[in-house]
Structure formats: structure tokens, C-alpha cells
Amino acid sequence: MRIADAQWIPATQHQTWDALLDPEVLQKCLPGCVKVERRTPTEYALAIHATVGGMDADYEGEILLSDLNPPHSCTLAFEGKSETACLAIGTAQVTLSPKDHGTRLAYTVAAMAGGTLGKVGEPALMKAGGKLVGKFFAAFIDHMAKLPRTAPPPEPEEPERGLAASRWSWLAVAAVVLVILGYHAFYK
């Protein structure tokens, strides 16, 4: 199963990025989400109750983030397991860019299902996946629209390089000059 689309988010790019990584926002916006827990800066655990193809199931899963390029893009891998429906796994590419005083969030999701869930068939999985994504974005856009817009954080300053960057380097230059002057004064 593959889903690719884009959404316009009524918030700045950095606010959208921060919200996508916030466990509280994710728990609030993911349909059927019971919990989202950030284990590390790039690993999340979650529990979701979902109905797919008429099958109710509780899923425990993980999301792993990689290729982080804040606030522009990331890749995520996800896995969900259920005792009754078996397994769902996949990856997603997410790209954020400024657009019309907001953020364009483009995504491509590729997923597979196994076990009883896999037997439901791709059309039913596509329909359920589309509904899940649609409900998530409706809630996420509504959440983001309620937030006041904030300016992006300032870019970090480039550290100075070369002799101007260090007092010790100037001290070394001064010592060399004094040695040369002292040599010429006392030995010539």
C-alpha cells in the first residue's frame, strides 16, 4: 500500500515541525490513539485502537525517526503489532516547506500488513489508511490553527575562524613578534 499527498498547515514551518515531534499533540490528533511516549529523541512508542476491514484491534507499536533535517524533512519507520490482527509495518518520507504564510507538509507512506490484517486485502487497507490519515490531518490542522504564530528561532551564529577567533592565537602572534624584535635588538 502506498499513499502520497500534501497538506497545507496554518502554522510556520518550525511550529509544524515541533508539533509533529510532540507526543501530546500526536496522541491528541491520531485517531484511536491511547498513548504516545517519546523514548529517545528519535524513538516513540504508541498504542492505538483501530478498526480495519471490520476488525477491531489494539496495536502496540514503535516509530523510529531518521534522516532528520529540522525543520525541513525526516524519514520514519513504523511497526504495529496486534494479537488479533498481526502486523503492520512501513516507512514514511515527510517534507516541510513554507507556503502561503503556512507550511506545506508533503508525505509518502509505504506500508504492508501481514497475518489476519493482510488477508483483508489492499482496497480495504487503502480505504482504512486513507481515513486514518484524513482524520489525523483534520485534527492536526485544527490544533495548529488554534496556536498563535511565532517567529522562527534565530539561526545560530557561525563561529569566527582564524586568528580573530582566539585570544591565544593573538598571544602566540605577539610572542613571535617579541622574539623576533628581541633577537634583532640583542644580537645585531
Side-chain angles (χ1 to χ4, degrees):
M1 171 176 81
R2 186 174 175 88
I3 300 172
D5 203 354
Q7 297 286 330
W8 182 80
I9 310 297
T12 61
Q13 188 174 342
H14 76 280
Q15 285 177 295
T16 303
W17 177 268
D18 290 345
L20 287 171
L21 299 181
D22 185 335
E24 290 179 24
V25 173
L26 293 174
Q27 185 169 341
K28 175 182 173 184
C29 298
L30 277 168
C33 187
V34 178
K35 79 167 184 172
V36 175
E37 174 189 339
R38 184 183 311 198
R39 292 182 175 161
T40 70
T42 59
E43 182 180 358
Y44 294 78
L46 62 126
I48 294 178
H49 180 82
T51 303
V52 178
M55 245 185 350
D56 272 349
D58 292 317
Y59 293 91
E60 295 282 327
E62 291 183 332
I63 298 174
L64 301 172
L65 302 173
S66 63
D67 304 325
L68 294 169
N69 181 17
H72 306 288
S73 63
C74 71
T75 300
L76 57 98
F78 57 89
E79 171 185 272
K81 296 177 185 174
S82 168
E83 288 182 21
T84 59
C86 292
L87 176 69
I89 59 171
T91 62
Q93 303 287 324
V94 178
T95 304
L96 304 175
S97 56
K99 182 175 182 176
D100 299 333
H101 305 289
T103 301
R104 180 180 189 268
L105 189 157
Y107 60 92
T108 302
V109 178
M112 292 177 20
T116 309
L117 186 61
K119 293 176 184 173
V120 169
E122 190 166 330
L125 292 174
M126 287 290 291
K127 184 177 178 181
K131 282 184 181 179
L132 182 72
V133 168
K135 287 179 180 180
F136 168 77
F137 277 114
F140 187 73
I141 289 169
D142 186 50
H143 171 79
M144 297 306 289
K146 293 176 183 175
L147 297 178
R149 290 185 185 220
T150 60
E155 291 289 325
E157 290 185 25
E158 274 293 315
E160 291 186 35
R161 300 187 191 275
L163 293 178
S166 168
R167 285 187 242 164
W168 296 109
S169 58
W170 283 108
L171 186 60
V173 170
V176 169
V177 169
L178 286 174
V179 167
I180 292 171
L181 288 175
Y183 174 78
H184 285 287
F186 292 113
Y187 294 107
K188 293 219 173 196

